[in-house]
């Protein structure tokens, strides 16, 4: 049997990545991202650390917070962790965290050799105690932690793993009770000396326990989204350039991806509501007295920063004399500008072939040289021209001008063409619309294009009907 290697242990103490690679490589088959290393250093540097790892789904939150980091803290000289309390949304969930630690320690022969730690009789699904080393215990959400100790040692570190869940956040009273439990009961178990507290989980809801705790101002927040604003993966060793993540977004939809991977929960009840979204059979293009396609290509030229959007809307005079506004097609994607303009030219040709006439508009401030070059390149490639107009009207704040049109949805004057329930671009635009709220971090490029098109359509009156004698009651007045 080989002897302990103090030099190996000293090197691992000094470097988190070295510690993982030396003693627990099977628990990190993919190299750590920069955010893993910086977060671990921040927790290690502050014995009173109280914060939240607001990391995306698939970021290895639990593995680092509840296994790798605690063991690294425990091997320091002197130890930075002696008793870790692992809190799950249930006792069973907490036991699963303890089970991972048990499996890791039972297989970590080199770690036990260099540290001299030994298993004790207190080695169960609820607690692990190592002679000469740390102790770990499981606790379910809401259970009483009062008086919890191993010998005379109270918990000097607490990890809360994914405590928020849908049924909880739907109840404001349960959220309030859980916040009180964390602040009063859970944190009350710690004593003088090191008392680290770490909450891990993506931001599930703005009404979640995590959001309420952050609002107190007592906790640091380390936020990591799956994709940067430039569309790059924040963990490139695992996700490469981010193609898998973008495929995942296409599969699960904008709303779910924003919540699970971008820490941007999209919740109904803002300026627009889900019950206002309705569908109707689309009319032939010539039946619309006006068709407008409005382009919001985003300010930046990078392929995957903001969404590039174009919305095609038509104004239709019903037999009853009212005007409805039909959403006929959508392009809402993170992509190069050339892809947007190819889509626009395809729609232009399709409408012309059907005997309709459409106006393409773009915000004047957006039509920069780089976008003009992209359009000209696509026109040359396809040997077509897109008659596009610049919208130079003075506009107010974006949220206010989009919200001002919400009455059209509420009154039932807006409808989406049937079949668009399965169109990912349309559904992304609807998700962005439902997310619209002051201070929301959700993208709003689709709603901005909606507002541009509808504002223009509202100024376009239908052709006058021939004078004729009308006998009977007056038609109902449009709101």
């Amino acid at each position: 049997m080989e002897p302990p290697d103090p030099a190996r242990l000293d090197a691992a103490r000094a470097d988190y990545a070295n510690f993982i690679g030396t003693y627990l490589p099977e628990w990190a088959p993919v190299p750590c991202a920069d955010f893993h290393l910086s977060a671990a250093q921040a927790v290690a540097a502050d014995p009173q650390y109280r914060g939240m790892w607001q990391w995306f789904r698939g970021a290895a939150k639990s593995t680092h917070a509840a296994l790798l980091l605690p063991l690294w803290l425990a091997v320091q000289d002197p130890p930075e962790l002696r008793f870790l309390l692992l809190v799950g949304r249930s006792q069973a969930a907490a036991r699963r965290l303890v089970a991972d630690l048990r499996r890791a320690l039972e297989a970590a022969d080199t770690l036990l050799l260099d540290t001299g730690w030994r298993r004790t009789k207190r080695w169960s699904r609820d607690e692990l105690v190592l002679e000469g080393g740390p102790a770990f215990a499981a606790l379910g959400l809401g259970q009483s932690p009062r008086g919890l100790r191993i010998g005379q040692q109270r918990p000097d570190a607490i990890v809360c793993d994914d405590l928020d869940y849908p049924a909880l956040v739907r109840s404001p009273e349960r959220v309030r009770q859980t916040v009180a439990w964390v602040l009063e009961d859970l944190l009350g178990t710690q004593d003088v000396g090191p008392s680290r507290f770490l909450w891990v989980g993506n931001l599930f809801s703005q009404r979640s326990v995590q959001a309420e705790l952050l609002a107190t101002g007592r906790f640091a927040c380390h936020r990591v989204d799956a994709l940067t604003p430039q569309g790059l993966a924040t963990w490139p060793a695992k996700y490469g350039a981010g193609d898998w993540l973008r495929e995942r977004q296409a599969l699960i939809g904008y709303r779910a991806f924003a919540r699970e991977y971008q820490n941007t929960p999209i919740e109904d009840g803002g300026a627009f509501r889900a019950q206002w979204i309705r569908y109707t059979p689309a009319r032939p293009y010539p039946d619309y007295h006006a068709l407008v396609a409005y382009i919001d290509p985003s300010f930046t030229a990078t392929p995957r920063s903001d969404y590039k959007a174009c919305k095609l809307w038509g104004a239709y005079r019903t037999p009853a004399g009212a005007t409805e506004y039909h959403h006929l097609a959508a392009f809402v994607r993170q992509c190069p500008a050339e892809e947007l303009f190819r889509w626009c030219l395809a729609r232009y040709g399709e409408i012309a072939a059907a005997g309709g006439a459409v106006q393409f508009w773009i915000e004047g401030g957006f039509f920069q040289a780089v976008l003009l070059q992209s359009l000209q390149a696509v026109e040359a490639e396809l040997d077509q021209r897109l008659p596009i107009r610049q919208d130079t009207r003075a506009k107010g704040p974006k949220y206010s001008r989009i919200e001002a049109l919400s009455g059209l949805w509420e009154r039932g004057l807006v409808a989406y063409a049937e079949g668009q329930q399965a169109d990912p671009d349309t559904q992304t635009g609807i998700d962005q619309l439902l997310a619209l709220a002051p201070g929301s971090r959700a993208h709003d490029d689709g709603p901005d294009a909606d507002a541009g098109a509808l504002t223009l359509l509202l100024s376009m009156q239908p052709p006058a009907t021939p004078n004729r004698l009308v006998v009977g009651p007056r038609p109902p007045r449009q709101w």
Side-chain angles (χ1 to χ4, degrees), residues 325-369:
Y325 301 93
H326 293 176
H327 180 283
L328 301 175
F331 182 101
V332 187
R333 304 174 194 172
Q334 292 173 305
C335 65
E338 289 81 1
E339 186 176 339
L340 165 68
F341 290 129
R342 289 190 192 95
W343 185 91
C344 291
L345 279 165
R347 299 290 79 69
Y348 179 68
E350 171 189 305
I351 294 168
V358 60
Q359 297 181 17
F360 275 84
W361 290 79
I362 190 170
E363 286 200 36
F366 278 124
F367 215 39
Q368 307 158 359

Side-chain angles (χ1 to χ4, degrees), residues 222-240:
H222 186 256
R223 174 181 169 178
V224 181
D225 301 337
L227 293 172
T228 69
Q230 292 73 38
L232 302 176
T234 52
W235 191 358
K238 180 175 181 179
Y239 294 105

Side-chain angles (χ1 to χ4, degrees), residues 113-442:
L113 172 68
D114 287 351
T115 59
W117 297 345
R118 297 290 182 269
R119 288 170 50 181
T120 69
K121 293 181 179 179
R122 300 178 70 172
W123 199 259
S124 69
R125 60 181 183 172
D126 290 308
E127 65 176 9
L128 307 174
V129 179
L130 287 157
E131 180 183 343
F136 308 92
L139 186 75
L141 174 63
Q143 293 182 324
S144 175
R146 293 182 180 274
L148 188 62
R149 58 171 58 89
I150 300 290
Q152 296 302 311
Q153 179 68 51
R154 287 174 174 260
D156 57 357
I158 298 172
V159 170
C160 297
D161 182 70
D162 275 333
L163 297 195
D164 280 313
Y165 58 97
L168 173 63
V169 302
R170 284 196 293 266
S171 170
E173 178 59 22
R174 291 181 66 185
V175 169
R176 185 195 65 77
Q177 291 174 355
T178 304
V179 169
W181 178 80
V182 170
L183 296 177
E184 299 168 14
D185 292 20
L186 193 56
L187 289 173
T189 65
Q190 295 182 309
D191 209 341
V192 294
S195 55
R196 293 176 172 88
F197 174 88
L198 183 57
W199 179 290
V200 296
N202 60 295
L203 186 60
F204 187 86
S205 167
Q206 295 290 4
R207 297 186 289 268
S208 64
V209 176
Q210 180 183 159
E212 293 296 322
L213 288 171
L214 281 173
T216 66
R218 305 175 198 176
F219 301 90
C221 180
H222 186 256
R223 174 181 169 178
V224 181
D225 301 337
L227 293 172
T228 69
Q230 292 73 38
L232 302 176
T234 52
W235 191 358
K238 180 175 181 179
Y239 294 105
D243 291 339
W244 183 91
L245 291 165
R246 284 182 284 276
E247 291 172 3
R248 177 63 40 166
Q249 179 176 351
L251 174 65
I252 68 177
Y254 173 81
R255 178 188 296 237
F257 188 84
R259 180 184 66 241
E260 300 295 339
Y261 291 90
Q262 295 298 101
N263 290 296
T264 305
I266 296 176
E267 303 179 47
D268 297 343
F272 295 82
R273 299 180 184 175
Q275 60 263 37
W276 298 347
I277 306 299
R278 68 184 186 92
Y279 295 86
T280 191
R283 306 290 305 178
Y285 287 128
D287 285 2
Y288 294 97
H289 69 258
L291 291 165
V292 170
Y294 200 95
I295 301 170
D296 182 344
S298 83
F299 279 105
T300 55
T302 53
R304 300 184 179 93
S305 50
D306 290 333
Y307 280 74
K308 292 175 175 61
C310 181
K311 292 298 200 80
L312 173 62
W313 287 85
Y316 170 66
R317 175 61 64 89
T318 69
T323 300
E324 289 186 348
Y325 301 93
H326 293 176
H327 180 283
L328 301 175
F331 182 101
V332 187
R333 304 174 194 172
Q334 292 173 305
C335 65
E338 289 81 1
E339 186 176 339
L340 165 68
F341 290 129
R342 289 190 192 95
W343 185 91
C344 291
L345 279 165
R347 299 290 79 69
Y348 179 68
E350 171 189 305
I351 294 168
V358 60
Q359 297 181 17
F360 275 84
W361 290 79
I362 190 170
E363 286 200 36
F366 278 124
F367 215 39
Q368 307 158 359
V370 64
L371 289 173
L372 182 59
Q373 291 171 4
S374 297
L375 173 60
Q376 290 172 339
V378 173
E379 288 178 330
E381 171 194 332
L382 301 177
D383 193 23
Q384 299 179 45
R385 296 294 177 268
L386 185 67
I388 192 168
R389 305 183 185 186
Q390 294 189 54
D391 184 5
T392 58
R393 296 170 298 138
K395 299 179 180 180
K398 182 185 292 189
Y399 173 79
S400 299
R401 53 187 164 86
I402 299 174
E403 182 191 31
L405 296 170
S406 62
L408 296 176
W409 275 260
E410 185 177 11
R411 291 158 53 191
L413 301 179
V414 161
Y416 293 77
E418 284 184 351
Q420 293 183 344
Q421 296 95 324
D423 177 53
D425 294 84
T426 297
Q427 294 306 311
T428 296
I430 290 173
D431 283 340
Q432 291 183 358
L433 192 72
L434 298 178
L436 193 70
S440 170
R441 297 184 296 191

